[in-house]
Amino acid sequence: MLDLDGKPIAGAVLDVWQTQSNGLYDSQDKNPNELHMRGKFRSDSEGRYLIRTVQPVNYPIPSDGPVGAMLKATGRHPMRPAHIHFVAMADGYEAVTTHIFDRTDPYLDSDAVFAVKDSLICDFVRHETPTPEAAKLGIAGPVLTASFDFVLQPAGAAAQVDVLDAQRRLAALGARA
Ligand SMILES: [Fe+2]
């Protein structure tokens, strides 16, 4: 977890959720075990975090209602590329809601909800023997690892950008009048 100058943010919170390996969120599962595939994690004094989860899978968004009709009308499929959701937050910074995507997913270029950005695509690297971090978590078999640096901007910075943008737009209108 980093600030705009690349300095680590300690004590930041990552709120994480994803589907199970069957492509369903816990709220969609008819027989949910309990709330799962969710968790909150905190960065350490060096801004680092470590999360253990399952490999994300691609899945179809619900398409039995108006959304399905719209997808059909526009000739689009309902698939979302494999991803993990995050809200990254820390005192004094703007919280950001985002997700990371698996670079090998076949639906990256046609996400049903148009949410893929190049900067959010990650390499999920396969290791036949556990990495030191995986071993620390008690994982014995092959693992995939992905790294992602969340960068937070100071609280109020977004509002400041909005004001500057509005001033630029007003100035442009004035120039045209
Ligand atoms: Fe999702």
Side-chain angles (χ1 to χ4, degrees), residues 19 25 59 80 83 85 99:
T19 65
Y25 287 100
Y59 65 83
R80 296 220 59 207
H83 59 271
H85 293 272
H99 32 10

Side-chain angles (χ1 to χ4, degrees), residues 124-148:
F124 285 70
V125 182
R126 185 179 171 91
H127 307 265
E128 294 307 322
T129 53
T131 60
E133 290 83 5
K136 214 186 298 178
L137 294 172
I139 300 171
V143 293
L144 298 169
T145 57
S147 297
F148 190 82

Side-chain angles (χ1 to χ4, degrees), residues 59-120:
Y59 65 83
I61 59 171
S63 56
D64 53 349
V67 170
M70 188 184 71
L71 287 168
K72 199 171 173 193
T74 53
R76 295 185 58 83
H77 63 69
M79 297 301 291
R80 296 220 59 207
H83 59 271
I84 304 173
H85 293 272
F86 298 89
V87 180
M89 54 197 125
D91 288 344
Y93 295 88
E94 299 279 349
V96 64
T97 303
T98 189
H99 32 10
I100 63 170
F101 296 89
D102 179 349
R103 189 180 305 283
T104 64
D105 196 282
Y107 297 107
L108 279 181
D109 293 330
S110 59
D111 181 10
V113 304
F114 303 98
V116 178
K117 291 180 183 172
D118 286 347
S119 59
L120 301 177

Side-chain angles (χ1 to χ4, degrees), residues 159-175:
Q160 201 175 0
V161 170
D162 286 346
V163 169
L164 289 172
D165 187 49
Q167 285 173 340
R168 267 195 298 271
R169 286 166 191 259
L170 284 171
L173 285 172

Side-chain angles (χ1 to χ4, degrees), residues 25 43 57 73:
Y25 287 100
S43 64
V57 295

